[in-house]
Amino acid sequence: MIFDFDHPPDRRGSDSVKWGKYAGRDVLPMWVADMDFAAPPCVLDALHQRVDHGVLGCGSPPMSLAGAITEALERDHGWAINPDWLVWLPGLVSGLNIVCRAIGEPGDQVLTAVPIYPPFLSAPRYSQRRVTTVDLRRAESRWVWDFGRLDRAITPGSRLLMLCNPHNPVGRAFSRDELTSIAQIAERHDLVICSDEIHCGLVLDEEIRHIPIAMLGEAIAQRTITLMAPSKTWNIPGLGCAFAVVSNPKLRRQVLDAMHGIVPHANVLGYAATEAAYRDGEGWRRKLIEYLRVNADRVEQAIAGMPGLSTCRVEATYLAWIDARPLALRDPVRFFEDAGVGLSNGADFGSPGYLRLNFGCARSLLDLALQRMHDAVLARDVPT
Ligand SMILES: Cc1ncc(COP(=O)(O)O)c(C=O)c1O
């Protein structure tokens, strides 16, 4: 089947957060992690069918949904899970916040590495925990954890380590060795791991496979809460459906207890779409990956030709993390908005001077954005 990623629907004037931000301005929206593509036909068919039933009352996850997910995790990652380990969530950010409330006590320390998707920094604070960050290190063409620093940052009050794998924004899909080092540190210091794997279906590098950290062994599985969702891979974040995989019954109870009374169920359309995506969305996903690979190459090449900007190869996600510090701009986001390109601000991820570019869009739009960035960088008055 042919999927037309070159001609996505026009989102101007729709309910799109991404496009609404710059409504009425000639600024191409390359910011929030939301692709411009329509959902896969199998997902749209499932939604039509569900709507045609007509009744949209209170729903619970269909029996077949857990089966679709367990089969997909086994098929895609070789991860055999028990359907009883699943906890349904209305979104993954809710999951990050729930886990912060579920583990430890107010005042305890939560660790993560920056740059990082902003809710990793806000969720501990919203739960009266202290967040401690260690910097990821740029090692030539990729970002890596600094395990020594992580080890030294841990205190007796440390309870939770929040991992993002594949990583937003640096685009890494961490290797077995890297994950093993993280797991060893968690075991040595008795930390629970919250592993956000929402981007696991978006590994672009043909040499790399996503490894759920909970797959490393039984001991690590027992201390891990894995968060997943179909929303990034199949571009359905507007449907609000995610899940946690928690094999340890005590941890699972803690997660469920932290949800009581404040976390709504996922919605019935989200369930229908999620099942269709995991069961039948693989063909679309493969085509998407082919398309995104070419987009990633274009971004890499274009940025290499822009003096003062640099980026690393994106192994996974549709997000490029760009170092703009050498340009010494007072407001890098504003600079590129003035040039007609809307990017995410690195400061929100804990790294001022950086920018994040979303290339999950039609290639013609991406090329135009890259051209505008190129022209703006070259035309810039260099401070003397
Ligand atoms: C790492 C990561 N986690 C979670 C989310 C959002 O998840 P949700 O929309 O299910 O709350 C995103 C969205 O960009 C993300 O990149």
Side-chain angles (χ1 to χ4, degrees), residues 225-236:
I225 298 166
T226 305
L227 301 174
M228 291 183 159
S231 51
K232 294 294 138 191
T233 308
W234 289 282
N235 206 35
I236 49 173

Side-chain angles (χ1 to χ4, degrees), residues 173-188:
F174 295 113
S175 68
R176 184 173 293 277
D177 284 351
E178 290 171 298
L179 294 172
T180 301
S181 298
I182 292 169
Q184 284 168 348
I185 290 173
E187 287 185 339
R188 196 157 57 243

